[in-house]
Amino acid sequence: VGKDFTYLGWYNFGNVTSVQGLWHQHAGAGRGNRGYWENVAGKIYWECNNEAGTSINTFSNLWAPAASTWYFLAYRRTGTLWEILVDNVVVASNVDADDFTTYTGVFDIGEADGLGADYGCWLTGKCGEFAAFSRAISAAELYYFRSATKWRYQ
């Protein structure tokens, strides 16, 4: 994955009473890049760490999914703008010029490790049609991807 990229997919949070791992690009010992939803704070997160495990860009915002409801989630970086979108609406964003670290470790879908006592935090619901792009997907393309697949998840 280069400087600009997009991860997207449909997610159904089967249980909204625990941390839900969405994706994780591993670098070992809890390091890497990951997206997750944390139930206690009621926030959706994006954490990006460098090779030493130091956070270079971590941000979140309040967002509360309903149990057993499908959401189209996208994590997108365009230049220095980092965004989390839910159903094509930006729910969290941050501006940061740090380079995204590309790890060669495992890329898990539906898991985010290194989150406190729950070393492996798994999605208790379902994930559908996950895709990773080595470019920032435009708003029009995000609309297309969501519209073209929405019928499967409604």
Side-chain angles (χ1 to χ4, degrees):
V1 174
K3 185 172 182 174
D4 291 350
F5 61 92
T6 307
Y7 300 146
L8 59 83
W10 285 93
Y11 286 89
N12 181 314
F13 297 77
N15 175 351
V16 293
T17 61
S18 63
V19 176
Q20 300 290 300
L22 304 175
W23 58 269
H24 190 173
Q25 186 180 17
H26 292 266
R31 295 189 322 268
N33 306 300
R34 59 188 172 206
Y36 62 94
W37 180 76
E38 198 271 312
N39 61 305
V40 176
K43 292 183 176 184
I44 191 163
Y45 285 85
W46 187 346
E47 292 183 355
C48 182
N49 299 314
N50 63 19
E51 292 288 345
T54 304
S55 177
I56 60 170
N57 192 9
T58 297
F59 65 97
S60 63
N61 201 3
L62 294 173
W63 177 68
S68 302
T69 300
W70 284 98
Y71 297 95
F72 183 73
L73 302 181
Y75 284 72
R76 175 175 65 182
R77 179 177 178 182
T78 308
T80 60
L81 179 61
W82 303 61
E83 299 174 303
I84 303 172
L85 298 94
V86 177
D87 293 334
N88 290 349
V89 175
V90 175
V91 297
S93 65
N94 193 33
V95 174
D96 193 310
D98 285 324
D99 285 334
F100 181 80
T101 303
T102 300
Y103 296 111
T104 57
V106 174
F107 189 100
D108 286 329
I109 299 168
E111 186 267 346
D113 73 4
L115 299 172
D118 297 326
Y119 192 75
C121 294
W122 299 91
L123 178 67
T124 60
K126 301 174 186 175
C127 177
E129 305 195 44
F130 185 89
F133 297 88
S134 59
R135 63 186 179 87
I137 299 298
S138 70
E141 290 171 306
L142 283 172
Y143 178 82
Y144 170 79
F145 283 116
R146 182 174 183 267
S147 298
T149 57
K150 183 178 179 179
W151 64 273
R152 292 185 182 110
Y153 303 100
Q154 301 297 308

